[in-house]
Amino acid sequence: GAGVSQSPSNKVTEKGKDVELRCDPISGHTALYWYRQSLGQGLEFLIYFQGNSAPDKSGLPSDRFSAERTGGSVSTLTIQRTQQEDSAVYLCASSLSVDIQETQYFGPGTRLLVL
Amino acid sequence: GENVEQHPSTLSVQEGDSAVIKCTYSDSASNYFPWYKQELGKRPQLIIDIRSNVGEKKDQRIAVTLNKTAKHFSLHITETQPEDSAVYFCAASPSGNTPLVFGKGTRLSVIA
């Protein structure tokens, strides 16, 4: 079946502009995660949507970052007034249930470059 | 909160040799420890995980060991092959809905 997909695969933007990154999780998966992967770094947790419960936003680095998940499926990560330090690969993952110990399936990522 | 340290950051081994990657964690409440493999230009994929009620788990050439007293866990790859070359990430999670905390990754190179 189809895996997690993300778009765009690459995004180049100018400092100060807003960007929207999209994630399509595996159909039927209740949980959805966003991570940021900077060069040479691990996977930094950003936000976690857990079914109908309030999302866990504890990893968002600043109020310029926000995310929503409409209809329990597609999610959009928005970065406002982008800065050069926002340049990274943004990965989305989904899992069947909201239990963190459920296997997470990752998308291919969106590589963001802020000039 | 949880903090995960991973060592080494890079590792080179000859084909056929074994590779060991170690992680330590800080939160004694952590009870789930997955390992993800990320090949160059590809997405991370779960390769093995262990829960705190067991000390070791094996799957063909890979195994993970857990020492809860010392708060560390390790990935062991035996008879390494070139296709094992990738970045490996460990992670830890204290409970069912606390987000995973990842290590910074280990770049493994298997030299033919």
Side-chain angles (χ1 to χ4, degrees):
Chain A
V4 179
S5 61
Q6 292 185 245
S7 60
S9 54
N10 291 281
K11 177 71 176 179
V12 180
T13 190
E14 293 179 348
K15 177 181 172 181
K17 295 285 179 78
D18 297 353
V19 295
E20 282 192 353
L21 312 180
R22 177 187 167 106
C23 172
D24 282 90
I26 293 173
S27 178
H29 277 198
T30 306
L32 187 147
Y33 311 81
W34 283 98
Y35 296 93
R36 179 168 67 177
Q37 186 174 29
S38 303
L39 190 62
Q41 299 296 306
L43 299 168
E44 176 189 3
F45 163 76
L46 297 177
I47 187 169
Y48 161 39
F49 292 91
Q50 17 183 358
N52 294 325
S53 301
D56 180 342
K57 304 180 182 180
S58 60
L60 294 178
S62 78
D63 59 8
R64 295 187 296 105
F65 288 72
S66 63
E68 61 178 25
R69 187 179 186 192
T70 54
S73 181
V74 171
S75 178
T76 303
L77 177 70
T78 302
I79 309 174
Q80 296 179 309
R81 305 180 303 280
T82 52
Q83 303 294 312
Q84 289 182 331
E85 59 263 30
D86 298 335
S87 297
V89 176
Y90 289 81
L91 289 161
C92 171
S94 70
S95 63
L96 187 59
S97 79
V98 297
D99 186 345
I100 286 285
Q101 300 189 11
E102 190 77 45
T103 300
Q104 295 184 27
Y105 296 87
F106 283 83
T110 293
R111 187 175 300 275
L112 175 66
L113 178 61
V114 182
L115 300 177
Chain B
E2 176 64 276
N3 181 51
V4 177
E5 300 283 341
Q6 183 171 348
H7 300 280
S9 56
T10 60
L11 178 61
S12 291
V13 298
Q14 291 292 131
E15 183 177 0
D17 287 351
S18 295
V20 180
I21 302 170
K22 299 181 180 180
C23 290
T24 60
Y25 60 99
S26 60
D27 190 339
S28 57
S30 287
N31 60 6
Y32 174 63
F33 309 92
W35 287 88
Y36 282 81
K37 174 183 180 183
Q38 186 177 27
E39 296 178 38
L40 188 64
K42 299 199 174 173
R43 66 193 75 189
Q45 290 190 302
L46 179 73
I47 55 170
I48 194 167
D49 57 17
I50 192 168
R51 288 169 172 76
S52 58
N53 57 342
V54 296
E56 183 176 5
K57 184 176 179 180
K58 287 184 179 180
D59 183 2
Q60 299 183 346
R61 296 186 297 108
I62 61 173
V64 57
T65 58
L66 172 64
N67 183 326
K68 281 190 66 73
T69 302
K71 290 190 284 190
H72 67 68
F73 57 112
S74 300
L75 178 71
H76 304 252
I77 307 174
T78 59
E79 300 172 23
T80 53
Q81 301 169 4
E83 53 265 37
D84 295 328
S85 296
V87 178
Y88 291 81
F89 295 97
C90 64
S93 174
S95 70
N97 52 14
T98 303
L100 290 174
V101 176
F102 284 85
K104 292 193 182 319
T106 296
R107 182 175 299 278
L108 173 65
S109 299
V110 179
I111 304 164

